[in-house]
Amino acid sequence: MALFAMRTLGVATGMPRHGRGFQTEAMNEFEFTVPILIVGGGACGAVAALAAHDAGISPLIIEQDARPMGTTSMSQGLFCAAGTRSQAEHGVHDDGATFLADIMAKTKGQTDPVIARAIAFGSGPTLEWLQDRHAMPWALDTGFRPAYGNSTFRVHGWQGHGGKDMIELLHQRLAEAGIDVLTQARLTEIIAGSDGRVRGVVIERPGGVQERVGCETLVIASGGFAANHEMVARFMPEAAQARYNGWEGNRGDGIVLGEKLGAAIADMGSYQGYAMLTEPQGISVPPGAIIEGGIIVNIHGKRFVDESFDIAGMAHPVMAQPGDHCWVIIDAGIEEACAYIPEMRDLIALKAARQADSVEALAGMLGLDAATLAAELAEARAAQAAGTPDRFGRVWGEDLPPAPPFRAFKVVGAIYHTQGGLQIDGQARVLRPDGSALPNVFAGGGAARGVSGPSSWGYLPAMGLCAAVTLGRIAGETAAQQLGGTPVVGMPSA
Ligand SMILES: Cc1cc2nc3c(=O)[nH]c(=O)nc-3n(C[C@H](O)[C@H](O)[C@H](O)COP(=O)(O)OP(=O)(O)OC[C@H]3O[C@@H](n4cnc5c(N)ncnc54)[C@H](O)[C@@H]3O)c2cc1C
């Protein structure tokens, strides 16, 4: 599919000035000056740019890569939003207060309630603005049933499409809006006055050439730091040896430079792990495989956890098992129910699943103890039939544990994305340790503190993109408002 129609700029020198003629004393220092400079062309940066543009101020995105993809392109393109029309069309009752309660419960109250509130109440209006003004084809994913801490159907996406299509379509919308994206431009330095007001940045271009770009406001949307091994070892040592399945550009540049500017950082030990990265394909078994009734066993055929309890923290029990992998076991019916999901389609196309018609055949094929595996499946079936939690506390409800014909995926646990970063307020303004806001710096997405608590257990499904899209919109609007723009969505009343 040829979705990609990006409006990119190859060179900075000689570019037209943007916006309303912002002349400052610093102007002569810079190649050119823009009102809003957005660092990073992932979901957060792209949405921030659309929001600023709609508010009447023209932004510029700088992106280190030749083609903006980011973590967003690796994702399933699914994100939470509460109180949407799409939910209502499916008879789902949800609102910001319910979403906020779910975030606080999942994080055991250990997240920033101000950011959580902004995201919980801002997500639905953000999604609908992007649907209405920018024709983003998002709708409730009715296959993603309430699970892992979301108390209701809340996950939205573009059915049949993943994160790659999402980012390409967002950049098509940027091009249609006439928003410039300066590619191969890596932020290496932020230039600020003694009052903390940012005046511009230094960017590195191909060949190591350095250029200086002035800005009236700065939005940091450069993603997380999971590819920065030194930072991972420092802030989340328990994940330092984990497989990394995220974007290689996630070095935490924006977080490090923001901190140098005087910003506070928070929840730096927070991250999104994942327990079901297929080996050797490197494709995620979608969460639906568990939601529909799949189980995970170790190399002895033993279950070891309630697989439906924690989408991100599950990586740890999987990594703690003997050997170097586990098995996700589903059946043909579960595979069929998930076949609309791009990752499952890819796994089917690659014939990644081992297939067997009996427990004995499956165990033989995977090298598991057949009696152990049979006992695990029998216990799960008995718990489901009795309507009682199994010995791990898994409540099966209507979901049936796998039955012949079986499918099995070899999986490893991995770290996908970090969730801590620059401390912001509910308007995405970057804060200092004393709680005061830096004068003209905003952040969102992986670069900012998210709402997943301090560690790996507080991540609700589809919160990474929710934070990127919602905080991106808020950051773009707040930056524009500071320059006289008029936000389209604004701050929804709680
Ligand atoms: C395999 C996988 C699956 C996932 N699935 C989901 C999902 O379905 N739902 C969900 O909610 N979350 C998911 N996530 C998490 C989600 O993808 C991220 O939370 C989200 O994409 C973050 O968006 P972002 O815009 O902040 O960062 P990114 O998309 O990473 O964008 C940041 C951009 O900044 C650029 N950049 C970085 N440093 C610089 C610099 N110094 N100068 C210039 N540019 C720079 C990068 O190149 C990149 O383009 C998944 C993550 C992974 C790895």
Side-chain angles (χ1 to χ4, degrees):
M1 182 180 312
L3 285 173
F4 208 65
M6 193 178 53
R7 179 180 158 105
T8 56
L9 301 165
V11 290
T13 310
M15 280 181 56
R17 296 215 167 108
H18 289 244
R20 305 178 177 173
F22 289 90
Q23 303 288 337
T24 70
E25 286 178 9
M27 283 293 285
N28 294 339
E29 290 178 37
F30 301 111
E31 310 269 352
F32 59 92
T33 289
V34 296
I36 301 178
L37 187 76
I38 298 170
V39 187
C44 182
V47 171
L50 291 171
H53 168 271
D54 286 7
I57 309 290
S58 178
L60 171 70
I61 296 178
I62 57 167
E63 163 58 48
Q64 64 185 355
D65 292 332
R67 178 176 178 171
M69 302 289 277
T71 322
T72 303
S73 71
M74 297 181 72
S75 75
Q76 291 189 275
L78 298 172
F79 60 100
C80 291
T84 66
R85 287 190 302 259
S86 189
Q87 286 176 306
E89 281 160 16
H90 288 92
V92 174
H93 302 287
D94 193 20
D95 54 25
T98 310
F99 190 11
L100 179 60
D102 285 353
I103 294 171
M104 298 315 285
K106 181 67 183 162
T107 56
K108 303 176 193 167
Q110 297 177 51
T111 192
D112 185 320
V114 174
I115 306 172
R117 177 170 287 274
I119 289 177
F121 284 86
S123 58
T126 301
L127 176 126
E128 292 185 350
W129 156 67
L130 285 163
Q131 284 174 324
D132 296 346
R133 292 282 282 252
H134 297 285
M136 292 304 287
W138 290 327
L140 186 68
D141 182 344
T142 52
F144 207 123
R145 290 190 277 128
Y148 298 117
N150 272 324
S151 62
T152 189
F153 288 86
R154 182 179 289 141
V155 175
H156 296 67
W158 180 10
Q159 173 115 18
H161 299 261
K164 183 167 169 292
D165 288 346
M166 176 184 187
I167 196 64
E168 291 185 348
L169 190 55
L170 280 170
H171 275 271
Q172 189 170 313
R173 297 296 183 253
L174 293 174
E176 289 161 6
I179 296 169
D180 291 327
V181 182
L182 183 65
T183 56
Q184 295 181 286
R186 179 180 172 193
L187 173 78
T188 56
E189 204 181 314
I190 299 174
I191 302 163
S194 54
D195 57 353
R197 176 168 289 277
V198 170
R199 290 154 52 205
V201 300
V202 178
I203 55 176
E204 192 176 285
R205 308 303 312 279
V209 175
Q210 304 231 317
E211 291 172 6
R212 295 159 75 90
V213 179
C215 61
E216 291 293 314
T217 57
L218 180 69
V219 176
I220 301 178
S222 49
F225 62 88
N228 184 324
H229 304 299
E230 186 274 322
M231 287 177 79
V232 169
R234 178 153 49 112
F235 293 112
M236 44 191 71
E238 75 279 14
Q241 302 307 320
R243 181 86 60 92
Y244 177 50
N245 183 51
W247 192 246
E248 281 307 323
N250 280 340
R251 292 176 311 268
D253 289 353
I255 299 171
V256 171
L257 292 174
E259 201 184 5
K260 277 190 190 160
L261 207 56
I265 54 174
D267 284 342
M268 293 296 281
S270 181
Y271 57 99
Q272 176 193 358
Y274 200 66
M276 301 191 294
L277 179 66
T278 54
E279 174 86 2
Q281 296 83 8
I283 298 170
S284 308
V285 179
I290 297 298
I291 294 171
E292 296 289 337
I295 62 169
I296 306 178
V297 298
N298 66 18
I299 56 169
H300 301 304
K302 279 194 92 61
R303 284 180 66 213
F304 45 90
V305 75
D306 170 2
E307 299 87 347
S308 67
F309 180 64
D310 188 0
I311 193 168
M314 193 65 57
H316 285 288
V318 163
M319 290 190 292
Q321 294 308 301
D324 59 1
H325 64 273
C326 288
W327 295 96
V328 173
I329 297 180
I330 61 169
D331 59 27
I334 297 173
E335 181 185 80
E336 174 68 26
C338 297
Y340 76 99
I341 303 167
E343 279 80 0
M344 185 59 90
R345 278 207 310 263
D346 290 345
L347 290 167
I348 293 170
L350 290 169
K351 297 188 174 21
R354 316 288 164 90
Q355 307 195 5
D357 288 333
S358 68
V359 176
E360 293 71 26
L362 183 68
M365 194 179 277
L366 308 185
L368 309 179
D369 181 71
T372 305
L373 182 60
E376 291 293 3
L377 288 167
E379 193 221 342
R381 268 185 227 119
Q384 195 277 335
T388 52
D390 64 26
R391 74 184 193 281
F392 300 108
R394 180 164 176 177
V395 177
W396 287 86
E398 299 296 309
D399 302 323
L400 294 175
F406 294 109
R407 307 280 187 265
F409 298 99
K410 186 178 182 183
V411 296
V412 297
I415 175 169
Y416 276 22
H417 195 249
T418 54
Q419 298 290 311
L422 299 169
Q423 178 69 52
I424 54 171
D425 66 10
Q427 293 173 281
R429 297 182 302 182
V430 174
L431 302 182
R432 301 184 179 95
D434 67 5
S436 64
L438 289 169
N440 58 347
V441 187
F442 312 88
R449 180 184 191 180
V451 289
S452 300
S455 185
S456 62
W457 42 258
Y459 183 82
L460 281 177
M463 275 309 293
L465 279 174
C466 173
V469 169
T470 308
L471 293 175
R473 192 269 300 166
I474 294 173
E477 287 193 340
T478 313
Q481 197 166 23
Q482 194 173 90
L483 301 175
T486 308
V488 169
V489 182
M491 296 310 292
S493 52

